[in-house]
Amino acid sequence: MNPLLELRDIRHAYGTQTVVNNLSLKLEKGAIGCLLGPSGCGKTTVLRCIAGFEPVSAGEISVNGAVMSNAGFCLPPERRHIGMVFQDYALFPHLTVQANIGFGLHRMQKAERAARVGEMLKTVGLAEVPDKYPHQLSGGQQQRVALARALAPRPDLLLLDEPFSNLDVTLRGRLSLEVRDILKNQNATAILVTHDQDEAFAIADEIGVMHQGEIQQWDVAYNLYHRPANRFVANFIGQGVFLPGKILDSQHVEIELGTLAGDLPHQCTPDCQLCREGNAVDVLIRPDDIVHDDDSPLRAAVVHKAFRGADIMYTLRLPGGGIALSLVPSHHNHAIGEKIGIRLETDHVVAFRQSAP
């Protein structure tokens, strides 16, 4: 089955500055993808290229097998049958909720249009406020109107550009789950752009971590966290620290906290020099890899603590002087300077060539 959206080695530059470089991705129909990365990595430019707001200087973008852009061609945005939810929602202030939602349905018969608007009002939970104006709505309600307006014409693809950035943290978390449910209910294919990992994890089926105009890894959230493809992804996704380690064999790495068993460290191949016995590596240790255990003989000193409600994130100084993180249930409330028992509990070995000091 052909993907609904395919980008093949696209490139975009502003003058001599390359912003997107040889980027490729595929998205199946009904899937939700996400471009995740820090500011300036090129993720919004990719979205604008898909929408047709920016040309590509190389490569090709296709939707449903039809070419949207290549080096010599750029189909106008209005002919792409692609919906978009902008960062500021871009609602029409002089139109009611139902008029905003029905704005792109002018080609429908009046009765069909009214039925579709009514369906979308129910879908986004705004059936009680069809006659209100944008300024009478909360930020979350405005976001739903923008989403309903974009979905109403049944676009082949929906693009969402940082859609929750104007909302507070609590509302952002709740709405991200609601938006996923709405998109899945409509069987919509969508691409989200965000710098927020929690949003990406809550909404997307697949996530592309971007850096300097390239996708470093296109994968599900679990693999990005537990099986990062390179050091940038390992550093960017979640929290963790690198501890020095030594290769014992192709399945074992020794660090200060004990011996890790698992697949070959990252960057290893059967003939790789890195994986030889005794070689030095940097091993990624996540906060959930270090378990608080009062009975453990291995002790670490608390140097910082961040209370998070159900959990406390402890920064610990290990006996050898290294620093590690541990996420501990908050009823284990320890003081700065106190030594606590810990043990290593890992399921994955994530190791990279040791960086220069």
Side-chain angles (χ1 to χ4, degrees), residues 201 204-207 217-226:
F201 292 170
D205 300 309
E206 296 177 286
I207 301 166
Q217 185 173 354
W218 179 267
D219 218 326
V220 297
Y222 182 91
N223 287 342
L224 294 176
Y225 185 84
H226 290 292

Side-chain angles (χ1 to χ4, degrees), residues 110-125:
K110 186 175 180 179
E112 182 186 5
R113 180 179 179 179
R116 181 59 176 164
V117 169
E119 178 189 347
M120 293 312 304
L121 282 167
K122 291 179 182 177
T123 297
V124 299

Side-chain angles (χ1 to χ4, degrees), residues 163-177:
F164 308 108
S165 61
N166 294 329
L167 305 175
D168 63 67
V169 174
T170 302
L171 184 58
R172 193 181 303 167
R174 179 167 59 81
L175 274 179
S176 61
L177 296 175

Side-chain angles (χ1 to χ4, degrees), residues 6-332:
E6 185 169 8
L7 278 59
R8 292 183 288 274
D9 297 320
I10 69 165
R11 184 180 181 276
H12 180 81
Y14 294 109
T16 58
Q17 182 183 2
T18 299
V19 181
V20 179
N21 187 35
N22 296 329
L23 185 143
S24 299
L25 66 83
K26 295 180 181 180
L27 193 66
E28 301 299 327
K29 181 175 175 57
I32 303 173
C34 176
L35 295 175
L36 171 68
S39 297
C41 70
K43 56 188 185 296
T44 295
T45 301
V46 173
L47 209 69
R48 292 178 60 82
C49 289
I50 296 171
F53 300 143
E54 301 283 354
V56 297
S57 57
E60 187 174 271
I61 298 172
S62 61
V63 176
N64 276 330
V67 174
M68 300 286 115
S69 297
N70 58 32
F73 171 72
C74 185
L75 189 71
E78 64 272 15
R79 294 179 57 194
R80 296 193 175 208
H81 204 51
I82 292 175
M84 190 155 186
V85 177
F86 295 93
Q87 187 172 349
D88 60 358
Y89 313 139
L91 298 177
F92 300 109
H94 63 290
L95 297 182
T96 64
V97 168
Q98 59 184 346
N100 264 284
I101 294 173
F103 183 80
L105 306 180
H106 53 276
R107 294 181 181 177
M108 290 184 177
Q109 296 294 326
K110 186 175 180 179
E112 182 186 5
R113 180 179 179 179
R116 181 59 176 164
V117 169
E119 178 189 347
M120 293 312 304
L121 282 167
K122 291 179 182 177
T123 297
V124 299
L126 295 176
E128 305 301 317
V129 293
D131 298 319
K132 286 194 173 184
Y133 290 87
H135 73 273
Q136 297 174 304
L137 304 177
S138 67
Q141 289 174 319
Q142 290 180 32
Q143 199 263 356
R144 290 181 196 160
V145 175
L147 181 61
R149 183 180 62 184
L151 286 171
R154 295 186 176 90
D156 293 330
L157 177 67
L158 182 67
L159 307 178
L160 301 100
D161 183 14
E162 299 269 10
F164 308 108
S165 61
N166 294 329
L167 305 175
D168 63 67
V169 174
T170 302
L171 184 58
R172 193 181 303 167
R174 179 167 59 81
L175 274 179
S176 61
L177 296 175
E178 292 181 6
V179 166
R180 177 178 170 83
D181 288 342
I182 290 168
L183 294 176
K184 290 299 182 181
N185 174 270
Q186 295 289 302
N187 194 32
T189 310
I191 286 275
L192 164 79
V193 158
T194 184
H195 63 275
D196 189 305
Q197 296 177 36
D198 292 336
E199 285 178 17
F201 292 170
I203 296 177
D205 300 309
E206 296 177 286
I207 301 166
V209 177
M210 285 193 64
H211 178 54
Q212 295 181 344
E214 299 178 352
I215 291 181
Q216 304 296 307
Q217 185 173 354
W218 179 267
D219 218 326
V220 297
Y222 182 91
N223 287 342
L224 294 176
Y225 185 84
H226 290 292
R227 299 186 179 100
N230 57 38
R231 191 183 287 264
F232 176 83
V233 177
N235 276 318
F236 186 76
I237 296 295
Q239 291 179 281
V241 298
F242 284 100
L243 295 179
K246 182 175 69 174
I247 298 290
L248 299 181
D249 56 43
S250 64
Q251 294 291 314
H252 296 88
V253 181
E254 183 180 53
I255 63 174
E256 179 183 351
L257 297 173
T259 299
L260 305 178
D263 296 332
L264 285 171
H266 283 57
Q267 303 176 331
C268 278
T269 58
D271 60 348
C272 179
Q273 300 297 311
L274 172 68
C275 297
R276 291 189 172 181
E277 180 181 347
N279 281 4
V281 289
D282 289 331
V283 181
L284 177 66
I285 299 296
R286 300 287 195 189
D288 45 311
D289 291 331
I290 297 180
V291 178
H292 179 275
D293 184 353
D294 287 327
D295 297 326
S296 173
L298 182 60
R299 318 298 282 183
V302 176
V303 296
H304 187 266
K305 57 191 290 190
F307 184 77
R308 299 186 174 189
D311 305 295
I312 297 176
M313 180 70 79
Y314 284 105
T315 302
L316 305 172
R317 187 172 304 282
L318 305 176
I323 295 294
L325 302 174
S326 182
L327 192 62
V328 178
S330 62
H331 58 270
H332 295 285

